Amino acid sequence: VEPAGSRMIPLSLAYQSLAGAPRQILERINLTLETNRLRLVHMAGPDATFSWWGNTTENSALWTAYAYYADWYASRTLNIEIPREHWAHLLEAYRRNADKEPPLYRALALWFAGEMGLPIKTMLDGLQDQLEAGMKPGPYVRRTATSLLLAEPPSPLSQEIALVLVAQMARQQQQGLKPRIAARVDTARALLRKNGGALGQALLLLESGSKNTAQAEAILAQVRQEMPTFDRALTLVWV
């Protein structure tokens, strides 16, 4: 799911920006997007959900949300009409499986759902309760070859990403922040600015609502082929 989705999102962005490109380039991107959409369909388990390692493991709210989000992103790019009811399966998967996953994964799943226009206010409120109960300060360990989002989800840096994501979603949903989260989010922003690399800077740009082109270009200049593909796809989307 992760390689397919992380291929579809950057290619969708590329397709949107290449309207005047030669037809064979657009056709090649179109074919790659369609191939990966079909790949995701074939990976879906019972109830159209996705798991970490195939159908022998527990279903995952994170990977179900990412699969749906990547498909939603690509289908819009390709002007494919899909009934709104189809995307609502994501919320059912979240309700059934999110409690088994750490706050960062729940925050990412809800962010994907919110971007797709699905109602997330009640679930965001529940996530804030979980974050308030579980916030713990701790040391940072930066491993440049691994994903900040996937390598160590209970880590302090992952907690900061979750806090800032929740703040961004709350503002977007016109929803208040819980007191402990509101008191902690400025520290989370500062630590992400210092330790989060391109991914953290992209999230801060998204959360601020800034249209600073120079800042966006500076972030994009840090994006490299060796970045973990999940982090790279979200960095591009957030910018």
Side-chain angles (χ1 to χ4, degrees):
V1 172
E2 189 278 319
S6 299
R7 189 176 297 117
M8 290 162 68
I9 291 170
L11 283 173
S12 297
L13 287 164
Y15 192 89
Q16 294 168 23
S17 65
L18 290 172
R23 191 179 68 179
Q24 60 267 32
I25 293 177
L26 295 176
E27 288 177 347
R28 180 181 174 188
I29 296 175
N30 190 308
L31 178 61
T32 307
L33 286 172
E34 286 288 10
T35 300
N36 282 281
R37 288 188 72 240
L38 288 173
R39 188 172 291 159
L40 283 180
V41 169
H42 291 139
M43 281 190 275
D47 302 317
T49 55
F50 296 79
S51 53
W52 276 90
W53 302 109
N55 295 330
T56 59
T57 58
E58 288 186 335
N59 290 327
S60 165
L62 171 65
W63 293 127
T64 301
Y66 193 52
Y68 275 81
Y69 177 72
D71 190 26
W72 172 82
Y73 211 97
S75 62
R76 288 193 313 157
T77 298
L78 299 173
N79 294 315
I80 298 171
E81 291 288 338
I82 297 177
R84 183 174 174 81
E85 299 76 42
H86 170 76
W87 309 120
H89 290 302
L90 190 166
L91 297 181
E92 288 302 316
Y94 183 90
R95 292 186 186 101
R96 287 194 302 267
N97 303 298
D99 286 344
K100 298 175 288 189
E101 296 186 311
L104 174 59
Y105 292 177
R106 294 179 65 177
L108 287 166
L110 284 185
W111 187 85
F112 296 138
E115 286 297 292
M116 295 164 66
L118 297 172
I120 63 170
K121 281 190 174 182
T122 302
M123 288 173 281
L124 181 57
D125 204 46
L127 176 57
Q128 288 201 54
D129 288 338
Q130 185 192 24
L131 270 172
E132 273 202 312
M135 285 192 293
K136 297 176 183 177
Y140 286 87
V141 179
R142 182 70 196 280
R143 298 175 181 172
T144 55
T146 58
S147 167
L148 289 179
L149 298 171
L150 300 179
E152 293 182 64
S155 73
L157 188 55
S158 296
Q159 177 179 270
E160 313 307 342
I161 295 171
L163 284 167
V164 175
L165 258 181
V166 165
Q168 190 272 337
M169 287 188 282
R171 181 179 293 120
Q172 192 176 50
Q173 298 290 324
Q174 298 182 326
Q175 189 169 346
L177 287 175
K178 304 278 182 169
R180 285 192 67 205
I181 293 177
R184 185 76 177 77
V185 73
D186 281 339
T187 302
R189 292 184 187 113
L191 291 168
L192 265 189
R193 197 170 290 114
K194 179 180 178 182
N195 299 292
L199 176 77
Q201 293 169 41
L203 176 54
L204 292 171
L205 183 66
L206 171 77
E207 196 248 342
S208 71
S210 171
K211 303 294 184 184
N212 188 324
T213 304
Q215 189 178 358
E217 289 177 350
I219 296 169
L220 292 175
Q222 301 174 57
V223 176
R224 296 285 185 271
Q225 185 175 352
E226 60 268 19
M227 273 183 79
T229 50
F230 189 56
D231 296 33
R232 184 171 61 198
L234 286 183
T235 297
L236 294 174
V237 166
W238 288 344
V239 172

